[in-house]
């Protein structure tokens, strides 16, 4: 959480100064959404998953940890890669970290996407 706050503050996004939507709101929304995706990917990641396994077991369907992970890895990875792009389209940040990229939206989007993917990857490790 502190690394996210430092990233947002370094990009000039500070809620105390009224610039939260510059980048901080986008980063926090991306982190929240990707956390829910990763919680669904693994059986022990949230409390509802073992409940679903118990409900399936009551119907005679046995789901192991490996089977759950195997079934959730492909859609989960697709979601982890596309959520930052979708949120960028729906809730775009209002500013740019690099002054040289302020006039080039494609470059800014690419750098923001790389930063989001790096944060997600770092969180998963």
């Amino acid at each position: 959480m502190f690394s996210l706050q430092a990233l947002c503050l370094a990009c000039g996004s500070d809620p105390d100064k009224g610039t939260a939507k510059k980048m901080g709101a986008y980063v926090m929304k991306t982190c929240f959404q990707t956390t829910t995706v990763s919680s669904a990917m693994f059986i022990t990641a949230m409390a509802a998953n073992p409940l679903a396994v118990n409900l399936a077991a009551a119907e005679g369907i046995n789901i192991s940890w490996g089977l759950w992970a195997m079934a959730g890895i492909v859609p989960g990875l697709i979601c982890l890669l596309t959520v930052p792009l979708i949120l960028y389209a729906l809730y775009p940040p209002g500013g740019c970290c690099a002054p040289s990229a302020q006039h080039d939206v494609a470059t800014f989007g690419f750098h923001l996407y790389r930063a989001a993917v790096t944060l997600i990857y770092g969180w998963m490790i």
Side-chain angles (χ1 to χ4, degrees):
M1 186 60 132
F2 293 113
S3 61
L4 293 177
Q5 183 180 10
L7 173 68
C8 296
L9 290 174
C11 290
S13 184
D14 188 357
D16 295 335
K17 296 179 182 175
T19 58
K21 288 190 176 180
K22 189 169 185 180
M23 182 177 172
Y26 167 77
V27 169
M28 294 310 294
K29 285 183 182 298
T30 301
C31 288
F32 174 75
Q33 294 299 327
T34 54
T35 299
T36 59
V37 169
S38 63
S39 293
M41 287 172 64
F42 303 103
I43 202 167
T44 55
M46 72 173 182
N49 296 348
L51 178 62
V53 170
N54 288 340
L55 290 172
E59 296 297 320
I61 302 168
N62 293 326
I63 302 173
S64 67
W65 193 95
L67 182 62
W68 184 289
M70 190 171 55
I73 197 75
V74 173
L77 289 176
I78 291 169
C79 288
L80 286 176
L81 292 174
T82 58
V83 161
L85 294 174
I86 293 168
L87 286 176
Y88 183 77
L90 296 176
Y91 197 79
C96 181
C97 290
S100 62
Q102 286 180 350
H103 303 291
D104 188 358
V105 176
T107 302
F108 172 60
F110 175 72
H111 289 300
L112 192 58
Y113 178 73
R114 269 187 17 193
V117 169
T118 303
L119 286 171
I120 294 165
Y121 180 72
W123 178 81
M124 288 178 13
I125 290 178

